[in-house]
């Protein structure tokens, strides 16, 4: 019986999710639904919100600013039933309909992942605005959480939770993102070495599957769906609510930047910091190649104990590595925090003249990237193409990677920052859909480039994309066993390689929870098959 069931499942997978078959009856090419199809949906559905056909151009763009696939309509939901009813209706239309659905949060995807060509984009921020946060501060400190809409921004959760003296444990570097968006990927920042990514700090989810079913899931209840949607790239369901873990919040942060010339020393110190339970609360790093006036830029907001010595440090023409660390503290710790930091710093081997320290509020520190965003918006440099490349590199191969990329393929970092810092997967829950290297310790290396649309030089989109291609080729030819974070591939074979041993589970979950491949077509993992009668 089991063998027969497995055979049936494999046949269904081949039929429903395959690239093409019986071309005279079924097509995997782009299908443009008639306008009347969606207008009929609007007439038949009972919606609390609105299904709009006008002013929808924003839903065909994202932060990457490279892909534009206009939808036929945008749903502005005011309730979870709006989302459920829409998907249920499309599912009941069966494979004769080419309609697909994509949830869109703050539009911070990079390569059209939240777009649905001639389908329906769901504006998740609209759902967030119509639903309240509910804080649950219990006697057991390990069970504090906030119940929030998946369309809520993390920055709003921060502000509201601080009113109760609490805050989420794990963050992304940029907080103006929705809960559903980061939980569908992972949500990684400098706290991940201790608390894991955001997907490891969730108690419960409410999910609308690709059949329109509304499911509540936890680690114990509907656990397959719970782990599937966390890091699942939107393929199995749309997250509509989440219970986010909270902890007592600090008030202030000692924020430090310090430089290294030697990459081996830099990585050794980083790995030492993430292995300790009594270290700093945040650990990240940057690669800086041929940067002029680096320390002068820091002086505007950071203090240096030896300015004269620091002024002699020369960064242009060199590849240097910046360790960025932070220690959180409360008001009652003011008298001891400096001594604690001095003890921690004494164990590191940085260039002593390049230690820069700033004391800021917890909110200022966590929302630091937004300050840069506002400055770039003023200069018209925010809404440009962002051909970002995010890689997870095993610890055993990070030096080989650095030798091949820094200073060779990349000869400067003027197009955007390069992040590099280690995380320890042994502290994570590895049952989620997120794909990581096999080793417990690996590095996030993020090339966060911005391209100038009218340029034909080294800051052009074509030049940066060619650099990214060379970096990926190095990873492949040297067999560095890297994985992409926020991945993007054009073929299913590439996706199979990305997921590796997790691919069969991924396929099974797709068949179970979104059998018609209605959800999130912009990931380009599965293509909805259309049967013409």
């Amino acid at each position: 019986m089991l063998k027969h069931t497995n055979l049936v499942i494999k046949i269904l997978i081949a039929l429903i999710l395959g690239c093409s078959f019986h071309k005279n009856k079924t097509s995997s090419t782009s299908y443009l639904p008639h306008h009347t199809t969606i207008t009929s949906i609007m007439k038949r559905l009972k919606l609390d919100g609105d299904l709009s056909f006008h002013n929808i151009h924003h839903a065909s763009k994202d932060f990457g600013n490279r892909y534009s696939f206009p939808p036929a309509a945008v749903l502005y939901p005011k309730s979870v039933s709006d989302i459920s009813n829409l998907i249920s209706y499309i599912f009941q239309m069966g494979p004769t309909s080419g309609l697909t659905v994509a949830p869109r949060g703050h539009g911070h995807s990079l390569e059209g992942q939240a777009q649905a060509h001639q389908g329906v984009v769901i504006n998740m921020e609209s759902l967030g605005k119509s639903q309240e946060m509910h804080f649950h501060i219990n006697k057991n400190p390990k069970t504090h959480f906030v119940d929030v809409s998946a369309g809520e921004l993390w920055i709003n959760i921060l502000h509201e939770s601080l009113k109760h003296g609490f805050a989420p444990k794990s963050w992304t570097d940029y907080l103006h993102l929705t809960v559903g968006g980061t939980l569908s990927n992972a949500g990684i920042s400098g706290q991940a070495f201790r608390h894991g990514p955001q997907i490891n700090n969730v108690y419960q989810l409410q999910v609308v599957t690709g059949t329109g079913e509304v499911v509540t899931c936890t680690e114990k209840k509907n656990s397959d769906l719970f782990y599937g949607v966390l890091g699942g790239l939107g393929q199995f369901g749309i997250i509509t609510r989440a219970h986010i873990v909270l902890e007592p919040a600090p008030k202030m942060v000692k924020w430090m930047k310090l430089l290294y010339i030697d990459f081996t020393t830099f990585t050794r110190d980083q790995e030492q910091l993430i292995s300790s339970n009594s270290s700093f609360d945040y650990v990240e790093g940057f690669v800086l190649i041929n940067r002029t006036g680096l320390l002068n830029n820091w002086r505007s907001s950071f203090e240096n104990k030896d300015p004269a010595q620091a002024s002699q440090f020369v960064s242009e023409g060199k590849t240097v590595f910046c360790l960025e660390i932070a220690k959180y503290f409360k008001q009652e710790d003011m008298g001891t925090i400096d001594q604690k930091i001095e003890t921690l710093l004494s164990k590191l081997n940085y260039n002593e003249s390049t230690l820069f320290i700033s004391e800021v509020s917890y909110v200022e520190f966590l929302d630091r990237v937004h300050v840069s965003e506002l400055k770039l918006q003023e200069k018209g440099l925010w809404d440009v193409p962002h051909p970002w490349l995010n890689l997870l590199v095993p610890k055993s191969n990070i030096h080989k990677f650095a030798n091949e990329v820094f200073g060779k393929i990349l000869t400067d970092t003027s197009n955007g920052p390069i992040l590099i810092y280690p995380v320890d997967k042994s502290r994570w829950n590895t049952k989620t859909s997120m794909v990581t290297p096999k080793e417990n310790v690996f590095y996030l290396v993020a090339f966060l480039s911005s391209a100038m649309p009218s340029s034909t030089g080294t800051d052009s989109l074509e030049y940066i994309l060619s650099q990214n291609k060379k970096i990926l080729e190095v990873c492949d030819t040297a067999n560095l066993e890297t994985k992409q974070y926020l991945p993007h591939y054009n073929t299913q074979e590439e996706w199979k390689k990305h997921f590796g041993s997790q691919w069969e589970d991924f396929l099974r979950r797709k068949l179970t929870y979104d059998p018609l491949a209605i959800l999130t077509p912009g990931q380009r993992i599965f293509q909805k098959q259309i049967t013409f009668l």
Side-chain angles (χ1 to χ4, degrees), residues 37-64:
T37 303
I38 299 185
T39 53
S40 69
I41 292 175
M42 186 172 66
K43 291 177 181 178
R44 297 190 186 194
L45 288 181
K46 293 182 179 179
L47 298 173
D48 299 314
D50 298 304
L51 188 64
S52 176
F53 303 97
H54 308 290
N55 299 320
I56 59 176
H57 62 280
H58 68 280
S60 65
K61 300 194 303 182
D62 59 24
F63 178 71

Side-chain angles (χ1 to χ4, degrees), residues 469-498:
K469 184 179 179 182
K470 290 176 183 177
I471 293 169
L472 291 172
E473 286 173 350
V474 163
C475 294
D476 192 42
T477 56
N479 194 26
L480 299 184
E481 299 180 321
T482 59
K483 292 291 184 182
Q484 284 194 38
Y485 174 57
L486 308 177
H488 168 77
Y489 300 102
N490 292 313
T491 69
Q492 200 171 84
E493 285 303 313
E494 290 174 306
W495 280 110
K496 286 181 181 179
K497 183 179 179 182
H498 171 77

Side-chain angles (χ1 to χ4, degrees), residues 244-282:
I244 307 297
V245 178
L246 298 176
E247 67 176 358
K251 292 287 186 182
M252 301 294 293
V253 176
K254 290 282 188 177
W255 179 14
M256 288 149 278
K257 295 183 179 182
L258 36 139
L259 293 181
Y260 293 74
I261 299 296
D262 180 65
F263 185 69
T264 299
T265 307
F266 170 67
T267 54
R268 187 188 300 124
D269 277 2
Q270 281 193 316
E271 290 164 17
Q272 173 193 317
L273 289 174
I274 71 162
S275 67
S276 172
N277 290 322
S278 58
S279 178
F280 291 95
D281 298 294
Y282 162 97

Side-chain angles (χ1 to χ4, degrees), residues 147 202-206 216-219 226 241-244:
D147 178 5
V202 182
Y203 286 141
Q204 179 177 296
L205 297 172
Q206 182 188 65
T216 297
C217 50
T218 67
E219 290 183 347
F226 179 77
R241 287 197 75 82
H243 290 184
I244 307 297

Side-chain angles (χ1 to χ4, degrees), residues 200-359:
N200 288 170
N201 292 277
V202 182
Y203 286 141
Q204 179 177 296
L205 297 172
Q206 182 188 65
V207 178
V208 179
T209 70
T211 65
E213 183 181 5
V214 181
V215 181
T216 297
C217 50
T218 67
E219 290 183 347
K220 295 181 179 179
K221 179 183 179 182
N222 299 311
S223 60
D224 186 61
L225 182 60
F226 179 77
Y227 290 122
V229 296
L230 293 172
L233 306 177
Q235 293 304 297
F236 315 124
I238 297 175
I239 300 171
T240 50
R241 287 197 75 82
H243 290 184
I244 307 297
V245 178
L246 298 176
E247 67 176 358
K251 292 287 186 182
M252 301 294 293
V253 176
K254 290 282 188 177
W255 179 14
M256 288 149 278
K257 295 183 179 182
L258 36 139
L259 293 181
Y260 293 74
I261 299 296
D262 180 65
F263 185 69
T264 299
T265 307
F266 170 67
T267 54
R268 187 188 300 124
D269 277 2
Q270 281 193 316
E271 290 164 17
Q272 173 193 317
L273 289 174
I274 71 162
S275 67
S276 172
N277 290 322
S278 58
S279 178
F280 291 95
D281 298 294
Y282 162 97
V283 176
E284 285 197 9
F286 296 87
V287 182
L288 303 150
I289 306 173
N290 193 23
R291 292 289 296 274
T292 302
L294 177 66
L295 301 189
N296 285 333
N297 293 334
W298 290 354
R299 286 193 178 95
S300 60
S301 52
F302 288 78
E303 291 185 5
N304 179 260
K305 290 184 177 180
D306 192 350
Q309 190 70 22
S311 65
Q312 297 179 24
F313 184 87
V314 178
S315 57
E316 49 262 52
K318 296 179 180 179
T319 298
V320 296
F321 308 96
C322 171
L323 177 61
E324 184 178 45
I325 47 182
K327 189 69 176 173
Y328 307 155
F329 64 100
K330 297 180 179 180
Q331 200 69 35
E332 56 266 31
D333 301 322
M334 285 291 292
T336 59
I337 187 64
D338 288 338
Q339 182 58 50
K340 287 180 180 178
I341 288 175
E342 191 172 326
T343 300
L344 290 171
L345 289 174
S346 68
K347 300 175 184 178
L348 303 179
N349 297 287
Y350 59 96
N351 184 312
E352 291 189 7
S353 67
T354 63
L355 171 62
F356 284 74
I357 301 179
S358 179
E359 184 176 310

